[in-house]
Amino acid sequence: MKKTSKFIYLSIFLTIGLSSPILKSLVFPGWGELSEYNALYKENDIENITYIKERARYIMFQETALWIGFNIFRDLNKSYENDYQLLGAINAGVNWTGKNDLFAANVGNFNNLEEYNAYKLLTGQYEDVYLEDGFHWNWQNNNDNRLKYDRTRNKSEKYDKFKTYLAAGLIINRVVSSFDVLSIMKKHNRIISFDLEEDSTNLKLNLNYHF
């Protein structure tokens, strides 16, 4: 019964929310512009509103390109991450359970745990020393393996940054599309509208906000 109620409430929310062109642009940029174009189509000369459709196409193309790029770089990041972790586990005995990106960088910069801890103690960075079990690694002075690992890790990190930039682009695209829809609505006087309701005894004036 509770699941049914939640589904009903969600359906009502989506029905009401997605009737708003601005919310449509937040869901998928360009959708709000298309919604406005369709709403204005019957009441306006097509030449006066063609620009809306062109904007919608451009913003949708941009959104699609951002998603494609995001997924490509996410997959590359994950692929190189798996590769460098495998290299570290096989060639240096690294246990990756519970380890973060900083630990991964340290593994690539030092031959073994003892060398790393000695450097941190020598430079007074006592809080960075690894004292817990499970942080051991040793490249056995094989710099080729260590440098191959570090190059692979750097590629993973680079693609992770690209993925983050594209994620920010997806957010920016939604903000741009929302303000674009608001601009279109303002230009065509669709932010506020009035409805008259009349019966035998009363006359009502309804003020509607289209957000």
Side-chain angles (χ1 to χ4, degrees), residues 63-81:
E63 178 74 4
T64 302
L66 285 168
W67 273 114
I68 291 172
F70 176 84
N71 285 311
I72 288 172
F73 288 125
R74 181 190 61 186
D75 291 345
L76 285 170
N77 162 246
K78 193 62 182 176
S79 176
Y80 278 105
E81 182 181 52

Side-chain angles (χ1 to χ4, degrees), residues 124-196:
Q125 301 175 64
Y126 307 112
E127 67 280 0
D128 294 334
V129 173
Y130 294 127
L131 299 176
E132 301 88 348
D133 293 334
F135 284 84
H136 173 80
W137 77 88
N138 192 337
W139 291 103
Q140 305 292 335
N141 293 316
N142 190 324
N143 283 331
D144 289 340
N145 285 341
R146 181 177 63 81
L147 292 175
K148 181 180 179 181
Y149 160 90
D150 206 41
R151 287 193 298 269
T152 307
R153 186 194 63 79
N154 285 333
K155 288 180 180 178
S156 174
E157 189 176 73
K158 178 179 69 175
Y159 291 130
D160 185 55
K161 287 180 180 178
F162 289 162
K163 180 188 70 174
T164 302
Y165 296 151
L166 289 172
L170 288 166
I171 294 172
I172 292 170
N173 205 33
R174 279 156 175 75
V175 174
V176 169
S177 181
S178 298
F179 277 100
D180 186 43
V181 168
L182 193 60
S183 173
I184 292 168
M185 294 174 72
K186 184 178 179 181
K187 181 176 180 179
H188 293 276
N189 298 315
R190 281 181 46 79
I191 293 180
I192 299 175
S193 65
F194 300 91
D195 292 329
L196 285 173

Side-chain angles (χ1 to χ4, degrees), residues 29-30 33 55-63 173 177 180:
E33 283 86 349
R55 282 192 197 176
R57 286 176 178 172
Y58 174 78
I59 292 173
M60 283 181 164
F61 173 80
Q62 189 167 263
E63 178 74 4
N173 205 33
S177 181
D180 186 43

Side-chain angles (χ1 to χ4, degrees), residues 16-17 19-24 32 35-36 39-40 43 178 181-186 188-195 206-211:
I16 296 173
S19 65
S20 164
I22 292 178
L23 287 179
K24 286 179 180 178
S35 177
E36 281 300 291
L40 292 165
E43 304 170 3
S178 298
V181 168
L182 193 60
S183 173
I184 292 168
M185 294 174 72
K186 184 178 179 181
H188 293 276
N189 298 315
R190 281 181 46 79
I191 293 180
I192 299 175
S193 65
F194 300 91
D195 292 329
N206 296 323
L207 178 64
N208 302 313
Y209 293 89
H210 302 280
F211 290 102

